[in-house]
Amino acid sequence: MAFSSHVASRLEEQAIELPSWAFGNSGTRFRVFGTPGTPRDPFEKISDAAQVHKFTGLSPSVALHIPWDKVDDYAVLRKHAEDEGVALGTINSNTFQDEDYKLGSLAHRDDRIRRKAIDHHLECIDIMDATGSRDLKIWLADGTNYAGQDDMRGRQDRMAEALQEIYDRIGEHQRLVLEYKIFEPAFYHMDVPDWGTSYAQVAALGDRATVCLDTGHHAPSTNIEFIVMQLLRLGKLGSFDFNSRNYADDDLIVGAADPFQLFRILVEVLRGGGYGTDGDTAFMLDQCHNIEDKIPGQIRSVLNVQEMTARALLVDREALTAAQVEGDVLKANGILMDAFYTDVRPDLAAWREERGLPADPMKAFADSGYLAQIAADRVGGVQAGWGA
Ligand code: LRH
Ligand code: MN
């Protein structure tokens, strides 16, 4: 049974931004493995990202990370992206790889170091003006490793002051999204460890400051969809960094470790009005393909989000509300599980073909020979990575 016209049109609103860094090499402290054909610069990263959009129609923009994606002329990079059929998206700052930031950046005690970190963010906003990006995403590695190492209250106040200066520079059509993370690289406290802290900081800034929820940044067994519900209720869920994890911030393919959790999150996104063109929550992937091929990994990822979005769209909201009103616990749960257990893959294949897309994007990309082509073309130079 094909999708209803409602579900079919809602699926057309899906846009999932890709992280440029997912196309470079990444790994763990044990090893960063290389791959033949890995991009050597932001232009090649964007070309690879464009392949994902070509075969899925789901990823019209690419997020950049500064300085990993630093170029001389962002107008040239923007033109390259447009020629490839995608746009430049979220600009991610980076105050976690410079010697000066060992004890923090925006929360650091030293005026010179805080100044340096603020200026980096002002430079990122200049880049946003050139790339036409809407969002500045700030994730801070700031924190401490031992109790007593620093005054946590003082760090909050310094960070708030620094964020205010950055926010004051944000353009009227731009947003600041503040990402939280429970631990790593700090192992006693992070200065933005949870949604409450991020919310408290962005609420103090203004309407164009929101929270970024990275699905890998919570304590084990956290009910993430509850946080999604609350941030949408508060009008402050600016964006997602989607990935999945079994243990910590594993940055695995979204939906791979816990597809049911992804489904529950998307049910709350739909219920809270955060999805699609009338929603105001950006969907982005934030992943590392340490051992698997990167472009197929990204294709698999956006398809996983699409599949769980389709299942979430199949939830019979009226029947669910009726069962909830009745207090019929098992009936209500059963209605949600019916949607989750509905295999939407055949209908999605038909939905793609109706829109000139391959029924099976993974197979179509594999058959395209693109991976062999870039492995042959991209010889020499230095493969891109995190440069950590
Ligand atoms: C931090 C994080 C953040 C990025 C980085 C690539 O763990 O999730 O979003 O800047 O990964
Ligand atoms: Mn992230």
Side-chain angles (χ1 to χ4, degrees):
M1 190 272 300
F3 292 130
S4 68
S5 58
H6 167 70
V7 170
S9 62
R10 288 290 271 162
L11 285 170
E12 288 171 358
E13 298 173 37
Q14 187 135 59
I16 305 162
E17 187 163 282
L18 306 182
S20 66
W21 54 98
F23 298 94
N25 292 329
S26 57
T28 71
R29 58 185 166 176
F30 301 104
R31 178 76 180 159
V32 173
F33 295 100
T35 309
T38 290
R40 283 84 51 95
D41 59 47
F43 292 86
E44 293 180 345
K45 292 179 192 176
I46 289 166
S47 297
D48 291 1
Q51 289 290 305
V52 178
H53 190 50
K54 175 181 174 189
F55 286 93
T56 67
L58 287 171
S59 49
S61 61
V62 186
L64 302 180
H65 219 296
I66 308 299
W68 299 340
D69 298 315
K70 215 174 180 67
V71 293
D72 300 337
D73 187 336
Y74 287 95
V76 174
L77 189 67
R78 183 176 182 171
K79 175 80 174 54
H80 170 70
E82 283 157 10
D83 293 347
E84 292 274 14
V86 292
L88 298 180
T90 306
I91 298 297
N92 290 260
S93 66
N94 181 335
T95 55
F96 52 87
Q97 290 186 313
D98 185 300
E99 273 309 299
D100 276 339
Y101 299 140
K102 184 160 75 175
L103 300 179
S105 63
L106 300 183
H108 202 292
R109 277 178 177 278
D110 184 310
D111 296 350
R112 179 188 67 78
I113 293 175
R114 281 202 318 286
R115 182 73 259 156
K116 178 177 176 177
I118 292 169
D119 290 346
H120 166 66
H121 285 89
L122 301 183
E123 183 203 349
C124 285
I125 300 170
D126 294 341
I127 293 170
M128 289 164 70
D129 295 342
T131 57
S133 302
R134 179 192 187 198
D135 288 350
L136 170 67
K137 178 147 83 69
I138 302 179
W139 170 71
L140 301 174
D142 292 37
T144 62
N145 278 1
Y146 299 95
Q149 175 186 328
D150 199 353
D151 170 41
M152 294 188 285
R153 171 72 174 268
R155 294 176 71 91
Q156 284 299 306
D157 295 340
R158 291 190 292 273
M159 182 171 66
E161 192 188 303
L163 286 170
Q164 186 66 59
E165 181 173 347
I166 296 165
Y167 182 76
D168 293 345
R169 168 70 182 81
I170 289 276
E172 64 180 308
H173 302 299
Q174 298 171 331
R175 301 189 308 174
L176 180 160
V177 290
L178 183 61
E179 182 177 357
Y180 60 88
K181 183 175 182 178
I182 187 163
F183 86 102
E184 190 203 39
F187 296 105
Y188 170 64
H189 100 285
M190 296 283 283
D191 290 303
V192 189
D194 53 32
W195 75 270
T197 302
S198 179
Y199 177 77
Q201 289 283 351
V202 298
L205 295 172
D207 296 346
R208 287 173 290 105
T210 60
V211 176
C212 170
L213 186 156
D214 184 312
T215 49
H217 287 188
H218 304 82
S221 71
T222 296
N223 186 324
I224 295 176
E225 58 271 25
F226 178 90
I227 299 171
V228 170
M229 172 280 295
Q230 190 70 281
L231 286 170
L232 284 169
R233 180 173 165 272
L234 295 164
K236 283 293 187 188
L237 182 57
S239 69
F240 279 102
D241 271 9
F242 278 120
N243 50 63
S244 74
R245 53 83 166 286
N246 293 303
Y247 303 102
D249 189 18
D250 307 353
D251 281 341
L252 298 171
I253 287 175
V254 59
D258 188 346
F260 184 42
Q261 181 190 58
L262 178 59
F263 167 79
R264 299 192 313 266
I265 287 171
L266 291 165
V267 166
E268 286 306 329
V269 171
L270 290 167
R271 192 252 177 272
Y275 172 80
T277 40
D278 54 15
D280 212 10
T281 301
F283 279 27
M284 194 177 92
L285 302 181
D286 181 5
Q287 297 174 182
C288 297
H289 302 292
N290 298 345
I291 55 175
E292 70 271 23
D293 283 331
K294 302 160 193 321
I295 300 169
Q298 290 282 287
I299 292 175
R300 180 69 267 160
S301 303
V302 295
L303 295 178
N304 285 357
V305 175
Q306 184 184 48
E307 270 182 45
M308 288 304 152
T309 302
R311 294 174 197 229
L313 284 166
L314 292 179
V315 172
D316 183 338
R317 300 296 318 181
E318 264 169 57
L320 180 63
T321 304
Q324 290 168 344
V325 169
E326 285 164 35
D328 189 331
V329 175
L330 292 179
K331 189 173 177 188
N333 174 252
I335 289 163
L336 210 74
M337 298 317 287
D338 287 347
F340 177 64
Y341 284 128
T342 303
D343 185 355
V344 295
R345 292 173 292 184
D347 295 330
L348 276 174
W351 181 92
R352 293 184 191 112
E353 288 190 316
E354 287 156 15
R355 288 159 183 78
L357 293 162
D360 180 347
M362 290 291 284
K363 182 176 181 318
F365 175 73
D367 296 345
S368 73
Y370 184 85
L371 283 184
Q373 190 58 52
I374 57 175
D377 296 347
R378 296 175 182 170
V379 178
V382 178
Q383 294 191 339
W386 283 37

